[in-house]
Amino acid sequence: MDKIYSHPKSLRNVSTHYCAGCGHSMLHKLVAQVIDELDIREKIIAVAPVGCAVVAYDYWDFDCSESAHGRAMAVATAIKRLRPENIVFTYQGDGDLAAIGTAETLHAANRGENITVIFVNNAIYGMTGGQMAPTTLTGQKTATTINGRDPQSEGYPLKISEILATLKAVKYVERVAVHDAAHIIKTKSAIKEAFLNQINGVGFSLVEVLSPCPTYWGMPPVKAAAWVKDEMTKEFPLGRLK
Ligand SMILES: Cc1ncc(C[n+]2csc(CCOP(=O)(O)OP(=O)(O)O)c2C)c(N)n1
Ligand code: SF4
């Protein structure tokens, strides 16, 4: 009988702390599968974020560094420049990448660092209790926007992928989602392309992943997946931006 599935070598066989239906767990697996398929596990150095994925290195079985909140791309820049033979990627939430790390994000992209970025957009701060993120949707209720995000006082959702796609040095930007099987397969292809770009020296590549946070959206997992499809994709359309 043909073997159709096996546990990725790059993923430790342990339970995670992620909530049921959280996108981080699926994404951890996809990243591990891509790294196995490209046979780059011995060359990988991941840069973990601050946020719910702060302990990603407890789940991935390859080299990882931690970074202070928002500084992942600065850390990745240093690692890649010092060790160009390694394959370096950051894994960051929207609070990390689009709020506290705005400056690092913009400048690493603008310099065209040959790194891979996995940007997990769940429209909220998960780890610290569901506060508004820059990507929170207009009208979305969070711990800090209890009547819903109001653009008059909180601004509009920040579209990082659209902004970065305008930069000359940025080579690849794609927005994907993990709310159903077909989109999970597309997400895996985008992650693979982003790693292949780095391997081939193409340059800065970012994959934004729309990802459910059932806990702080206050929804069961199935409803949260539907909310990604029905609401998030209206503000953040899926597809290749560059
Ligand atoms: C400089 C700094 N400010 C604030 C914090 C507190 N903090 C830790 S995680 C987090 C939110 C993370 O949200 P996000 O990046 O969206 O990741 P998620 O937990 O949603 O995956 C914040 C504000 C910190 N650790 N460091
Ligand atoms: S709080 Fe949200 S982002 Fe954090 S593990 Fe739970 S579902 Fe995932």
Side-chain angles (χ1 to χ4, degrees), residues 17-24 51-53 122 124-127 212-216:
H17 74 291
Y18 297 118
C19 312
C22 175
H24 280 306
C52 282
N122 60 13
I124 211 152
Y125 283 16
M127 186 195 209
C213 174
T215 300
Y216 287 112

Side-chain angles (χ1 to χ4, degrees), residues 65-109:
S65 172
E66 184 52 89
S67 57
H69 205 308
R71 312 295 172 248
M73 287 192 217
V75 172
T77 297
I79 295 172
K80 185 69 184 178
R81 288 189 179 198
L82 287 165
R83 302 183 60 94
E85 68 281 10
N86 284 98
I87 308 297
V88 182
F89 78 97
T90 72
Y91 182 100
Q92 302 175 260
D94 40 66
D96 191 87
L97 182 146
I100 299 168
T102 318
E104 282 76 7
T105 299
L106 206 57
H107 292 294

Side-chain angles (χ1 to χ4, degrees), residues 13-26:
N13 202 357
V14 294
S15 318
T16 71
H17 74 291
Y18 297 118
C19 312
C22 175
H24 280 306
S25 37
M26 172 54 69

Side-chain angles (χ1 to χ4, degrees), residues 20-21 140 212-228 231:
Q140 185 183 338
C213 174
T215 300
Y216 287 112
W217 295 355
M219 299 174 195
V222 172
K223 212 169 158 202
W227 198 79
V228 170
E231 302 302 329

Side-chain angles (χ1 to χ4, degrees), residues 34 38 116 171-174 186-200 202-203 205-207 240 242:
V34 167
L38 295 174
T116 301
K171 300 298 184 206
Y172 172 59
V173 183
E174 181 151 3
K186 277 193 190 154
T187 300
K188 186 175 166 188
S189 304
I191 292 171
K192 193 174 252 183
E193 184 159 352
F195 277 117
L196 279 169
N197 284 345
Q198 185 177 164
I199 292 165
N200 296 325
V202 171
S205 299
L206 178 141
V207 180
R240 191 174 180 138
K242 195 164 195 181

